[in-house]
Amino acid sequence: MRSPAVDLSVPERFGVSIRRQVPLAPYTTMKVGGPAEYFAAVAKVDQLIRLVRWARSVELPYYLLGGGSNVLISDAGLCGLVIYNRCRQVRIDEAPCCVFPQDDRPFVFAEGGVSMAGLARRTVAAGLTGLEWAVSLPGTVGGAVVNNAGAYGAAVKDNLYNAMVMDSYGDIDEVPADRLQYAYRTSMLKSQVPVRGGFGPVVLSANFRLAPGDGAEIAALAERNLHERRHSQPVEPSLGSTFVNPPGDYAGRLIEAAGLKGATVGGIQVSRQHANFFINPGGAGSATAADVVALIQVVQRIVAERFGVQLSPEVQLVGEWPAGQYLT
Ligand SMILES: Cc1cc2nc3c(=O)[nH]c(=O)nc-3n(C[C@H](O)[C@H](O)[C@H](O)COP(=O)(O)OP(=O)(O)OC[C@H]3O[C@@H](n4cnc5c(N)ncnc54)[C@H](O)[C@@H]3O)c2cc1C
């Protein structure tokens, strides 16, 4: 499939250059996947807004890419425009906000392309508690807000105050966190992501509210989380947890109990260190998205046969997929 012909000189005029047929594998943590028909990296929010509105006006489907740490892009790639979000402004308020005199928690503002781990580290250094769980989380603030990312019993929803979201019509609104319908690793925004490209919502920025605390305790908790992650998760390219945990159990436990650690399809392997992580040990060029899907299907089938549990992917499949590679 191809998108309608578009005049790329228009975004050039507001400072955004668009390239064609750009390989996306380097922009994902799994290092697999095909090209974007059109691709633009955007570092300023006003350019992001203009680009999305322009794409909408010329009916060019778009897709937002953050750190690419939770998306499996098909080998055929994506039609339309992939927007790589590099908007990275952060502001941590020194003083309590005068609008909320009863509440002394400072605001932490971050644009959608900010590294979530980098933001968490800055808040830890500022003596603020609430994001210690995220000090080594891959990906961006935008991806974390969409996915309700979380770890060690905490998640984005616990400290997010609101998010500045541009909707599919190009209108911008500050959406309070309680309107984002957060649940385990999902949100209203995630359900609206057009995984084959389209006109979905865009997280421009997020406001967190974090409490001041004991700097030494905050730093120690962050360090424990970092240490725990280093010891429990593989370092090879991956997409983190492949499946969401089924109610009352762990996907990794079931996969390990089924004897699937080390199982391999093509260049993709079930990690021996953490069975819910699928790894690409050979890195770029040595595996395909089809390998990942085939391994997911093998693991789903065997776990269902052995334990009667249907594992649901946490990773999002994006782009054009041949019949038979569609996952539920
Ligand atoms: C080694 C490893 C460890 C991980 N550990 C964890 C963990 O502990 N907890 C956890 O929850 N996750 C974990 N993950 C998964 C991943 O890091 C999170 O889901 C992360 O929040 C995704 O952010 P991202 O920027 O990479 O999003 P992407 O993968 O780029 O995108 C995810 C989704 O969000 C959409 N999106 C991204 N940015 C925007 C935006 N600005 N506006 C609108 N939509 C947007 C995309 O279109 C896509 O649908 C891990 C991944 C890896 C590789």
Side-chain angles (χ1 to χ4, degrees):
M1 271 173 59
R2 285 170 67 99
S3 305
V6 287
D7 180 359
L8 300 183
S9 69
V10 178
E12 287 279 358
R13 271 181 246 139
F14 53 79
V16 175
S17 68
I18 295 183
R19 293 183 284 144
R20 292 172 204 260
Q21 295 302 326
V22 173
L24 291 174
Y27 294 95
T28 73
T29 54
M30 188 59 122
K31 308 297 175 208
V32 299
E37 187 183 15
Y38 297 101
F39 179 92
V42 181
K44 292 188 179 154
V45 166
D46 63 306
Q47 290 175 332
L48 175 59
I49 294 169
R50 292 180 79 172
L51 182 66
V52 171
R53 287 184 175 155
W54 167 79
R56 187 90 182 77
S57 71
V58 296
E59 296 183 7
L60 178 64
Y62 58 84
Y63 180 80
L64 260 290
L65 188 62
S69 63
N70 201 54
V71 289
L72 180 62
I73 294 168
S74 68
D75 297 313
L78 258 157
C79 291
L81 172 64
V82 169
I83 302 173
Y84 179 45
N85 188 353
R86 298 182 65 242
C87 300
R88 293 177 177 162
Q89 292 292 319
V90 171
R91 196 180 59 245
I92 299 182
D93 290 344
E94 300 289 323
C97 174
C98 57
V99 182
F100 304 98
Q102 268 76 33
D103 185 345
D104 67 352
R105 292 173 305 157
F107 276 95
V108 172
F109 164 90
E111 290 179 349
V114 168
S115 147
M116 192 65 202
L119 179 71
R121 284 179 200 165
R122 282 185 66 170
T123 62
V124 166
L128 299 173
T129 183
L131 293 182
E132 297 93 330
W133 61 271
V135 286
S136 56
L137 184 86
T140 61
V141 166
V145 167
V146 167
N147 284 350
N148 189 24
Y152 312 114
V156 161
K157 68 170 176 43
D158 300 330
N159 293 103
L160 185 71
Y161 181 73
N162 64 22
M164 188 76 85
V165 179
M166 179 156 60
D167 69 17
S168 51
Y169 299 100
D171 295 330
I172 297 173
D173 196 10
E174 244 177 8
V175 186
D178 60 9
R179 272 185 33 214
L180 292 173
Q181 297 173 18
Y182 275 130
Y184 171 51
R185 300 293 173 269
T186 195
S187 69
M188 176 190 82
L189 297 168
K190 189 168 183 180
S191 64
Q192 293 174 358
V193 168
V195 290
R196 285 174 185 79
F199 304 100
V202 180
V203 177
L204 301 173
S205 58
N207 278 305
F208 295 87
R209 293 203 79 182
L210 305 180
D214 180 311
E217 276 177 25
I218 292 168
L221 176 57
E223 190 52 41
R224 274 202 303 281
N225 291 343
L226 202 58
H227 186 264
E228 163 68 19
R229 201 177 272 272
R230 281 202 190 113
H231 281 77
S232 62
Q233 296 185 357
V235 295
E236 293 90 346
S238 79
L239 289 171
S241 294
T242 310
F243 301 102
V244 288
N245 288 321
D249 210 334
Y250 292 97
R253 191 198 71 77
L254 292 165
I255 299 167
E256 184 172 354
L260 288 166
K261 275 189 165 181
T264 301
V265 172
I268 301 294
Q269 188 181 74
V270 176
S271 164
R272 292 181 194 279
Q273 194 175 352
H274 189 317
N276 200 16
F277 278 54
F278 290 10
I279 55 173
N280 177 8
S286 64
T288 63
D291 294 341
V292 183
V293 170
L295 189 56
I296 287 176
Q297 288 171 329
V298 167
V299 168
Q300 279 180 319
R301 181 173 53 74
I302 294 175
V303 167
E305 282 168 6
R306 290 282 305 274
F307 306 112
V309 176
Q310 183 62 37
L311 293 176
S312 306
E314 178 177 323
V315 301
Q316 241 180 340
L317 267 67
V318 172
E320 303 294 323
W321 294 88
Q325 283 187 11
Y326 187 73
L327 293 171
T328 50

